[in-house]
Amino acid sequence: MDRLQLPKLNFWLAFIFIISLLPVLLMNFSELKSFSSSLLSLHTIFLSILIEALPFVLIGILIAGFIQIFITEEHIERWIPKNTLLAVVMSCFVGALFPACECGIVPIVRRLIAKGVPIHAAIGFMLTGPLINPIVILSTYMAFGNNLKIASLRMLIGFVIAIVVALLVSLFFKGSQFKNSVALQPVAKDDKQTSFITKLINTCKHAVDEFFDVGKYLIIGAFLAAFVQTYVSTKALVEIGDGVSSSILVMMGLAFILSLCSEADAFIGASFSSLFSTHSILAFLIFGPMIDLKNTIMLISVFRLKFVLWLVAFVAIVVYVSLFILSPYL
Amino acid sequence: MKFHIQQAVRAVILLAFSAMIANLHWTGELTKYINPKYDNLSKTAAILFFMLFLVQLTRVVSKTTQHCHHHGQACCSQHDHGQSPFTRKKMLSYFIVITPIITGFFVPAKILDAAIADKKGASFILAQQSQNSKIEDYLTSNETIDENIYDEHEPDPRLMEEKQEMTKKQYDRLKQQLSQQTMLKMTDEDYTIYYEEINHNLANYLGKQIQLKGFVLKEEDFSQNQLVISRFLITHCVADASIVGFLSEFVEAPTLKEDTWIEIVGTIGQTTYDGTILPVIQIDNWVTIEQPESPYLYPINIRMSF
């Protein structure tokens, strides 16, 4: 799988490296000092994002390994309804019950699709998983002054948006949408006599392979998010967002580049709550857990670039349009 | 017997991740990255890494050279099992994975500073935090304040037990007690309660004495004698840090550089900034201090009974 994507990786690394070197050449001593201090800040934020995400990613890859070893294509075929709408609603519902974070869920979704889950159902699951779960509900409730309104609107609108996006995906995309290099091959069935312990050990072995597939993208994503946080001013972005439409766009952009964990983003969202109106705060709270910089990088590692771009566009457009329409009522 | 070098490399990386996280725990550095409340999550990560390391060990040496001898492994080519040849591209991806381990061991954590606060738009956040203040309460509440002047309040140890947790009832009672004191001593534990309460019911606190510490933050549009005494509030990890703090005024303000830590005693007043009313502290006494051991604040968890 490495052959196709690594030239791109090389390119981006070189690009980032050169960009971050450029200012150094133009600096005097005091600027150099503040630059090195900002690099240390960058590193601290980078590592903290990573440390925060790793437990969830590890749990994600273990679940992915578990799916690989214990669940067969026949199970999937039996469980997922043939009807597209039913399949989407069901998968969104399962995602809502399933506590996950937006980076930990990528390996799970990849494994599900490999096992034959249709792409629309897998995407529905991926969108609601990080957005709707008890921890997120509680933290949103607390962040907005123990007010249920934002928390319930976040879940409700988010759920509907996830269904719409998954249906859009079902209209335009078929098949696994994996990159060519991640081409699917039929997975051989487990021997009936394989013992449970062996199966567990194989689950872990799969998890290890999955970690080395996904880990580098998580690390690059965390680095980019930290880079943006250190060098791009939120203030400048916030100053753009005045009207209804531009404020929604600004908050969605903010959610994308900050790449916050869905359990922590409510407090950041709340800190903008008098600067922006409810609908743009909701845009921040709904868009962020579905799509952000960190998990887009991870999606690119699994899916075709074209598919990822369309998916991001679908989510962005649906979130934007629905909150724009709802804005007079919120 | 065959020794698989790549499997060995992977095993070492898994062990190193586990060791890096464990090391951050032992040295106490971890609190500079994440809220201690989530300690157990990162411990889990360290344990899981170690478990994966043990499983990975079984793949380093194999009896035969035959690939895919496990049926469970099922000859899937969807991902790399670490058996394909070691190319330069692979070197690069291992290099990426190793980077955070190395920097995690050797690069010290940096406490967030005014430069980051500036990127987060400190003044915006300060200006809006007090927008919900109920100034109109001022007249009615002013008369009843003085009842318990001498009830010097120490943070109740039962409320402040290690985990920054309290019930809604305790929280409300504490807020109630707050409004009856004349001298507010803000400790790290109850900072957020005081902060929220003062910003929301500013009228109840006008003219009261306050004691707190924080680092100096300045904004371009501040006047000479103004600065913010600020802290970072960490919900989960430093990536989600937000700024809390009080606008303060005193004559010597220009002599203080950004990022200097100070402890002050002052009087709470009010002012308008960017069209919103917000508290301002007139500083009576101040002293520069060392950066505290734990410079960050963490939100208090209010246990809910729905």
Side-chain angles (χ1 to χ4, degrees), chain A residues 6 10 37 43-44 48 52 110-111 191 205-206 208-209 213 216 229 234-235 264 267-268 271 274, chain B residues 10 56 59 70-72 78-79 81 89 92-93 103 110 119 124 128 131 219 235-236 238-240:
Chain A
L6 279 175
N10 260 329
S37 127
H43 170 257
T44 306
S48 87
E52 182 196 38
R110 167 167 116 155
R111 193 52 53 198
D191 282 343
K205 285 180 181 168
H206 261 282
V208 171
D209 296 333
D213 281 352
K216 53 181 180 280
Q229 282 213 13
T234 310
K235 198 157 79 180
F267 290 87
I268 299 294
S271 77
S274 73
Chain B
R10 288 180 166 203
Q56 179 67 11
R59 299 160 102 185
H70 284 299
H71 274 281
Q78 292 149 32
H79 52 204
H81 290 296
K89 280 158 195 165
L92 180 69
S93 55
T103 61
K110 183 171 186 309
K119 290 282 180 292
F124 271 108
Q128 57 82 18
Q131 218 177 44
E219 290 280 325
T235 307
H236 201 149
V238 297
D240 61 52

Side-chain angles (χ1 to χ4, degrees), chain A residues 1-3 6-7 9-10 13 36-38 40-52 54-56 58-59 61-62 68-69 110-111 114 135 138 141-142 145-146 148 178 181-191 194 198 201-213 215-217 219-220 228-236 238-239 258 260-261 263-265 267-268 270-275, chain B residues 7 9-11 13-14 17 20-21 24 30 32-34 38 41-42 44-46 48-49 51-53 55-56 58-59 70-82 84 87 89-90 92-94 96-101 103-105 107-113 115-116 118-125 127-129 131-132 168 171 196 219 233 235-242 296 299-302 304 306:
Chain A
M1 66 172 286
D2 290 277
R3 192 169 301 158
L6 279 175
L9 207 71
N10 260 329
L13 279 184
S36 68
S37 127
S38 76
L40 278 181
S41 296
L42 168 68
H43 170 257
T44 306
I45 295 175
F46 161 64
L47 216 57
S48 87
I49 295 179
L50 208 58
I51 292 173
E52 182 196 38
L54 276 176
F56 296 103
L58 285 175
I59 293 165
I61 58 170
L62 280 171
Q68 171 69 13
I69 302 293
R110 167 167 116 155
R111 193 52 53 198
I135 308 166
L138 192 66
Y141 173 75
M142 274 166 52
N146 297 346
L148 256 180
F178 285 151
S181 50
V182 203
L184 262 181
Q185 282 199 355
V187 181
K189 265 169 236 147
D190 245 342
D191 282 343
T194 319
T198 320
I201 288 175
N202 286 337
T203 300
C204 290
K205 285 180 181 168
H206 261 282
V208 171
D209 296 333
E210 202 91 46
F211 177 75
F212 282 92
D213 281 352
K216 53 181 180 280
Y217 295 98
I219 290 165
I220 294 171
V228 166
Q229 282 213 13
T230 322
Y231 294 110
V232 178
S233 170
T234 310
K235 198 157 79 180
V238 165
E239 271 165 347
L258 289 182
L260 298 171
C261 202
E263 286 138 37
D265 64 353
F267 290 87
I268 299 294
S271 77
F272 287 101
S273 59
S274 73
L275 218 53
Chain B
Q7 302 290 13
V9 168
R10 288 180 166 203
I13 291 176
L14 290 172
F17 260 112
M20 192 255 296
I21 297 173
L24 289 177
L30 199 71
K32 291 175 184 168
Y33 294 103
I34 60 169
Y38 296 97
L41 262 181
S42 63
T44 311
L48 287 179
F49 268 125
M51 191 187 85
L52 292 179
F53 159 73
V55 172
Q56 179 67 11
T58 65
R59 299 160 102 185
H70 284 299
H71 274 281
Q73 208 156 304
C75 296
C76 63
S77 64
Q78 292 149 32
H79 52 204
D80 177 17
H81 290 296
S84 43
T87 60
K89 280 158 195 165
K90 241 175 180 178
L92 180 69
S93 55
Y94 281 121
I96 293 171
V97 175
I98 292 167
T99 310
I101 304 177
T103 61
F105 267 115
V107 180
K110 183 171 186 309
I111 301 301
L112 298 183
D113 57 11
I116 294 289
D118 187 51
K119 290 282 180 292
K120 288 182 183 283
S123 62
F124 271 108
I125 289 165
Q128 57 82 18
Q129 261 155 357
Q131 218 177 44
N132 303 332
K168 183 92 174 77
Y171 175 73
E196 189 186 321
E219 290 280 325
L233 178 70
T235 307
H236 201 149
C237 72
V238 297
D240 61 52
S242 58
Y296 298 131
I300 291 203
N301 259 14
I302 300 167
M304 287 300 159
F306 281 104

Side-chain angles (χ1 to χ4, degrees), chain A residues 17-92:
Chain A
F17 190 66
I18 289 166
I19 291 285
S20 48
L21 272 190
L22 265 182
V24 180
L25 302 173
L26 309 165
M27 279 177 189
N28 59 32
F29 179 71
S30 76
E31 279 171 335
L32 203 66
K33 214 176 125 197
S34 80
F35 176 69
S36 68
S37 127
S38 76
L39 269 192
L40 278 181
S41 296
L42 168 68
H43 170 257
T44 306
I45 295 175
F46 161 64
L47 216 57
S48 87
I49 295 179
L50 208 58
I51 292 173
E52 182 196 38
L54 276 176
F56 296 103
V57 171
L58 285 175
I59 293 165
I61 58 170
L62 280 171
I63 293 175
F66 181 86
I67 293 170
Q68 171 69 13
I69 302 293
F70 286 90
I71 294 181
T72 65
E73 284 88 341
E74 287 82 52
H75 289 141
I76 300 279
E77 211 166 310
R78 233 179 306 141
W79 292 337
I80 307 257
K82 292 279 170 297
N83 181 304
T84 309
L85 181 66
L86 270 180
V88 164
V89 172
M90 190 193 101
S91 66
C92 287

Side-chain angles (χ1 to χ4, degrees), chain B residues 82-267:
Chain B
Q83 275 152 350
S84 43
F86 204 72
T87 60
R88 255 168 91 196
K89 280 158 195 165
K90 241 175 180 178
M91 282 272 280
L92 180 69
S93 55
Y94 281 121
F95 173 75
I96 293 171
V97 175
I98 292 167
T99 310
I101 304 177
I102 294 171
T103 61
F105 267 115
F106 298 110
V107 180
K110 183 171 186 309
I111 301 301
L112 298 183
D113 57 11
I116 294 289
D118 187 51
K119 290 282 180 292
K120 288 182 183 283
S123 62
F124 271 108
I125 289 165
L126 280 183
Q128 57 82 18
Q129 261 155 357
S130 57
Q131 218 177 44
N132 303 332
S133 332
K134 300 167 191 153
I135 296 301
E136 67 272 19
D137 287 352
Y138 181 61
L139 289 176
T140 51
S141 57
N142 201 22
E143 298 150 21
T144 55
I145 294 175
D146 293 342
E147 277 174 20
N148 279 346
I149 295 181
Y150 298 109
D151 182 19
E152 269 297 343
H153 155 87
E154 287 291 315
D156 188 334
R158 278 170 310 156
L159 306 188
M160 299 304 176
E161 271 169 29
E162 39 184 74
K163 283 275 179 179
Q164 293 266 84
E165 251 188 19
M166 58 171 75
T167 61
K168 183 92 174 77
K169 211 168 151 195
Q170 288 169 317
Y171 175 73
D172 287 339
R173 202 176 62 209
L174 189 63
K175 268 166 78 166
Q176 173 91 40
Q177 286 172 353
L178 272 186
S179 63
Q180 295 171 350
Q181 297 163 50
T182 45
M183 174 75 183
L184 306 170
K185 260 180 104 170
M186 298 182 73
T187 63
D188 285 2
E189 288 73 31
D190 47 23
Y191 190 110
T192 48
I193 305 178
Y194 284 63
Y195 185 74
E196 189 186 321
E197 177 64 11
I198 292 171
N199 271 314
H200 280 214
N201 300 309
L202 179 56
N204 293 352
Y205 297 90
L206 289 176
K208 292 199 176 195
Q209 290 267 303
I210 185 167
Q211 181 183 350
L212 75 153
K213 59 188 174 198
F215 66 91
V216 173
L217 184 70
K218 292 179 179 179
E219 290 280 325
E220 278 166 18
D221 51 354
F222 282 2
S223 50
Q224 277 263 307
N225 64 340
Q226 287 182 323
L227 52 80
V228 176
I229 301 173
S230 40
R231 301 290 296 265
F232 278 103
L233 178 70
I234 310 281
T235 307
H236 201 149
C237 72
V238 297
D240 61 52
S242 58
I243 298 148
V244 293
F246 288 99
L247 184 65
S248 308
E249 288 181 351
F250 64 126
V251 202
E252 294 115 305
T255 64
L256 283 174
K257 282 207 181 104
E258 283 202 313
D259 289 327
T260 320
W261 278 80
I262 55 174
E263 179 147 23
I264 61 108
V265 175
T267 316

